[in-house]
Amino acid sequence: QRTLMKYIAETFDYHINWKSRGHHPGQHKSDQRGMGIEFAGHATLIDYPDPRRIDIRQTMRDPMEQIHVRIFNQRSATPVFIANDLSASMNFGLTQTKFKQASDISEIIKNSVIGKSDAIGFIGFNDRIDSSWIAPLSYRPQRTEALIERLDHYHARNASHEGIKGLYQFIPKDQTLIFIISDFHMPIYDIEICLGHLRKHRIIPIILWDKNEYENLPRFGIVSVNDPESGEESTLFLRKKTLAKIKTRFADRKEELEKVFLKYDSPPFFVEDKFDTTAMTQYFNEYFHA
């Protein structure tokens, strides 16, 4: 059972590097006129009737003797979506499944978004995108909270990842911050289709890999492993050469994922153990300057 105390301190700091078009007050730069502190220029009192903002000096300089006021941009909210992979490969996990881990990370993202006064929504995808796994954008995200709780106990049955290619159909037209949580055990081609459709948005790929998939394997015996490219599960008889092959495939796969995400200006954030909120904050500071 989740408790507020468990997650109260679990947040990270994020920012966007575009001007929000949202009308709802928030903490991001925007083009919306309001009571902010970012100076945006002057206007006449007739065009912008706010006598509290009268600029005496600018008014005295005007040869037409019009009264001028200072105008400012307010800080605005921005839309944020969590997109979670519900495919069968996410069942993997010895101490906890990737679904459980994804639920915990989604909870932290939700808390961080609420702390920024932003709107948040949620989408789950596997073979397709089912309406029962969609929470629309909201500043009171009860629906998102319910789906995060549902994800905590979820188990997939023979489900693929095909729905990732249709995510764009459920994202707002305005530029949106999108956290995609998945192990990305799927063809690179499908990832590229997804990223191509979402090019105008800011994508944060959170990649869940479990070291028990490729590193902490027994030296000898029979194990079930997920293919890092297709997500398909297979049973292998482990030998020294097989272990080396699995490790090499995952190392090559990591390089391949980094390459494709960087191609779309979306550096991947790998999680192999606990989700590090400090590292996530540093990620935003390093790659996406406000």
Side-chain angles (χ1 to χ4, degrees):
Q1 183 69 28
R2 296 179 187 274
T3 64
L4 179 61
M5 291 303 296
K6 181 178 178 181
Y7 293 102
I8 192 74
E10 292 289 325
T11 61
F12 59 87
D13 186 39
Y14 67 91
H15 49 258
I16 59 174
N17 55 355
W18 68 86
K19 288 192 174 182
S20 172
R21 299 176 63 184
H23 295 278
H24 195 280
Q27 298 185 28
H28 306 286
K29 290 183 178 180
S30 76
D31 290 322
Q32 300 297 325
R33 300 290 185 255
M35 299 301 292
I37 60 173
E38 182 185 349
F39 180 66
H42 290 92
T44 65
L45 185 61
I46 294 175
D47 293 332
Y48 199 83
D50 186 352
R52 297 170 299 175
R53 303 274 185 165
I54 291 176
D55 188 326
I56 300 297
R57 291 185 178 181
Q58 188 68 17
T59 299
M60 293 177 65
R61 293 193 192 103
D62 187 352
M64 304 300 293
E65 298 184 347
Q66 295 188 87
I67 299 175
H68 289 259
V69 296
R70 296 188 184 94
I71 55 176
F72 296 84
N73 288 337
Q74 72 172 19
R75 291 272 173 166
S76 295
T78 198
V80 180
F81 255 98
I82 301 171
N84 253 296
D85 184 353
L86 304 177
S87 64
S89 65
M90 295 284 284
N91 287 327
F92 188 89
L94 299 183
T95 57
Q96 65 172 0
T97 68
K98 292 180 183 178
F99 287 124
K100 166 67 176 172
Q101 190 176 23
S103 177
D104 290 345
I105 293 172
S106 296
E107 182 78 11
I108 294 170
I109 293 172
K110 183 210 70 177
N111 288 342
S112 302
V113 171
I114 290 174
K116 286 277 191 181
S117 301
D118 288 331
I120 188 169
F122 185 100
I123 303 173
F125 63 90
N126 46 34
D127 300 305
R128 59 193 180 91
I129 297 175
D130 190 292
S131 60
S132 68
W133 278 102
I134 298 176
L137 280 174
S138 177
Y139 294 99
R140 296 180 178 179
Q142 288 90 348
R143 174 65 177 163
T144 290
E145 290 170 346
L147 292 181
I148 291 173
E149 179 69 25
R150 180 182 175 189
L151 184 66
D152 188 51
H153 310 287
Y154 188 69
H155 182 85
R157 296 183 179 180
N158 302 319
S160 74
H161 58 272
E162 288 289 315
I164 194 173
K165 294 183 285 188
L167 281 179
Y168 71 97
Q169 300 175 65
F170 302 89
I171 301 298
K173 292 183 179 180
D174 287 344
Q175 202 162 7
T176 302
L177 181 64
I178 308 169
F179 294 88
I180 303 181
I181 305 175
S182 171
D183 54 17
F184 289 97
H185 289 344
M186 59 187 75
I188 290 295
Y189 175 74
D190 292 347
I191 297 173
E192 289 217 59
I193 290 178
C194 171
L195 296 176
H197 284 310
L198 298 174
R199 192 183 288 271
K200 69 173 286 186
H201 304 289
R202 171 61 67 211
I203 308 302
I204 311 298
I206 298 180
I207 303 179
L208 305 185
W209 278 9
D210 190 319
K211 289 185 178 180
N212 292 309
E213 291 181 278
Y214 60 95
E215 189 170 301
N216 300 335
L217 293 170
R219 294 185 178 182
F220 188 82
I222 298 175
V223 296
S224 295
V225 296
N226 283 311
D227 188 290
E229 296 179 7
S230 67
E232 294 180 0
E233 188 176 276
S234 60
T235 302
L236 295 177
F237 181 75
L238 289 184
R239 294 179 296 178
K240 188 175 181 180
K241 287 184 178 180
T242 310
L243 282 171
K245 185 178 180 181
I246 291 173
K247 290 181 180 180
T248 298
R249 289 181 68 187
F250 268 85
D252 292 344
R253 178 64 174 180
K254 184 173 185 179
E255 185 176 328
E256 192 176 23
L257 287 173
E258 288 174 340
K259 183 178 179 180
V260 71
F261 283 120
L262 288 173
K263 176 181 175 182
Y264 289 88
D265 297 320
S266 302
F269 186 85
F270 283 86
V271 179
E272 294 182 318
D273 189 14
K274 187 179 184 299
F275 181 73
D276 188 334
T277 54
T278 300
M280 187 85 263
T281 297
Q282 292 172 346
Y283 168 93
F284 273 94
N285 291 336
E286 179 178 356
Y287 293 114
F288 309 121
H289 300 292

